[in-house]
Amino acid sequence: MTNTAAPEIAVADIGGTNARFARAHMDSDGAITLSEPTVLGTGEFPKFADAWRAFLAQQPDFKPRGASLALAGPASRGRFKLTNADWAFDAADLSQEMDLPRVALLNDFEAIAHAVAGLSGEEHLDHIAGPKLPLPQDETITIIGPGTGLGIAHFRRHRGEAIIQATEGSHIGFAPVNEIDDRMLAALRKVHDRVSLERVISGDGIAHIYAAICAMEGQIAPAGRDPLSIWQSGMSGDEPLTARAVAHFVKTLGRVTGDYALAHGASGIVMAGGIGLRLRDHLKAPEFHQAFLNKGRYRAMMDAIPIKLITHPQPGMLGAATAYFANHHLG
């Protein structure tokens, strides 16, 4: 940290796979500084309090004045469990559990929306597709990104303030548009009463795409093949079928991103999430944008929308800190 005299808070970005913790303070010019993150696996700790204590044990000089947690789930709805992990949270209990006077909770993509809204110009935004224009200042921006799950939020500025809306949009029903999708949906219906979009557009979703492509080719996908190995093989181009699976994922992500642009009335898109960042080169290929544009009579409108990728290394924690400092004064 560069300014140890400034009051510090703890921030965390907690997903289904990892919990990232850091220290944060606001500089005199209003810029937010984060420490190097401590990354802990959610599966390595029975509950959040255990991971919190493990983080503090590595920071013996840290006396936080509060905390802001970005969580993968509906953080503003009372007690809830992470969508893709077993940790449960209750805002009413966390202050005592963490021994802090104030703990703020927000959805993880709500936090990323705060980060995007607070960026100056095109800082930490890489152009992916569409017109090479800055994000519009006074229109709706959609934030979307695949990782362990799929995150979606949007915001619109009004009188200089960003009005941010968290969503659980990844849990709408999955809508197939081709044979691969049809096969996936049929297979997933045998396991789940309802097949949500997140079953396909997420880290584990690549395995369902790969299995459907194998079936179309008269092959049986190797039992228990790790989704990570499919991603690695497909992104490197080592195997034709895994490469097709990644290509289908990218096109589906483009199509779905376009759907949310229409649903939100968006004039700009920001891609986020761990997989989004790793897919940077694939997202810049024509197939992603063509799938995004393919909205029939609305193609020209879609073609006017700039699509960016947030490249800040910790957008969730940056946004959690941004939201906290905007709402709570630390004297």
Side-chain angles (χ1 to χ4, degrees):
M1 308 291 283
T2 60
N3 184 4
T4 55
E8 291 183 299
I9 66 167
V11 292
D13 184 5
I14 300 172
T17 302
N18 292 312
R20 295 173 171 83
F21 295 87
R23 301 159 68 156
H25 72 258
M26 180 179 285
D27 299 329
S28 58
D29 61 358
I32 291 171
T33 299
L34 301 175
S35 69
E36 284 297 314
T38 296
V39 182
L40 304 174
T42 53
E44 298 173 14
F45 299 89
K47 54 186 180 180
F48 167 74
D50 299 319
W52 169 246
R53 286 190 287 269
F55 166 64
L56 287 183
Q58 299 180 35
Q59 308 283 333
D61 64 328
F62 185 30
K63 306 296 180 186
R65 301 284 293 276
S68 186
L69 312 182
L71 308 173
S76 62
R77 304 298 175 89
R79 183 173 178 82
F80 79 100
K81 187 181 80 68
L82 290 180
T83 304
N84 294 298
D86 292 332
W87 289 2
F89 294 83
D90 190 333
D93 298 337
L94 271 175
S95 289
Q96 181 176 357
E97 197 170 290
M98 299 176 72
D99 192 25
L100 294 174
R102 181 182 290 117
V103 178
L105 302 182
L106 64 166
N107 170 268
D108 56 348
F109 268 68
E110 179 185 3
I112 293 174
H114 275 285
V116 172
L119 294 176
S120 59
E122 293 293 280
E123 180 188 18
H124 297 301
L125 292 174
D126 185 20
H127 184 76
I128 293 298
K132 291 187 176 181
L133 299 171
L135 293 176
Q137 285 297 305
D138 299 312
E139 299 179 53
T140 299
I141 308 297
T142 291
I143 317 291
I144 182 169
T148 303
L150 176 66
I152 299 164
H154 56 91
F155 72 88
R156 185 185 182 102
R157 292 186 180 89
H158 177 66
R159 296 178 179 176
E161 180 182 357
I163 310 301
I164 292 169
Q165 177 62 60
T167 83
E168 290 300 321
S170 62
H171 299 288
I172 67 170
F174 172 62
V177 298
N178 53 40
E179 184 181 355
I180 296 175
D181 292 348
D182 289 339
R183 287 177 178 269
M184 273 194 293
L185 185 60
L188 287 166
R189 276 179 173 162
K190 295 177 181 179
V191 181
H192 306 285
D193 292 335
R194 178 179 179 275
V195 180
S196 69
L197 178 60
E198 190 175 71
R199 298 287 183 192
V200 176
I201 302 298
S202 63
D204 287 350
I206 194 71
H208 304 308
I209 298 173
Y210 174 64
I213 291 173
C214 286
M216 287 176 60
E217 297 299 323
Q219 301 182 30
I220 299 175
R225 182 166 186 180
D226 181 12
L228 179 59
S229 74
I230 299 173
W231 278 113
Q232 292 172 335
S233 171
M235 292 177 69
S236 68
D238 289 343
E239 300 175 47
L241 296 188
T242 57
R244 282 174 60 185
V246 170
H248 186 78
F249 184 99
V250 169
K251 286 188 286 187
T252 305
L253 179 59
R255 171 170 60 85
V256 167
T257 300
D259 289 345
Y260 278 104
L262 289 174
H264 293 165
S267 297
I269 303 289
V270 175
M271 188 68 61
I275 293 174
L277 195 58
R278 293 180 180 89
L279 285 173
R280 182 191 307 209
D281 291 341
H282 292 75
L283 297 178
K284 291 184 177 183
E287 291 77 9
F288 170 81
H289 196 220
Q290 287 303 312
F292 176 84
L293 295 175
N294 190 19
K295 301 302 177 192
R297 71 190 78 176
Y298 290 100
R299 184 183 181 94
M301 185 176 78
M302 304 300 289
D303 203 21
I305 299 174
I307 304 174
K308 312 289 184 178
L309 174 72
I310 187 167
T311 59
H312 189 282
Q314 299 296 339
M317 290 195 289
L318 175 64
T322 300
Y324 190 98
F325 287 123
N327 291 291
H328 306 294
H329 174 71
L330 293 181

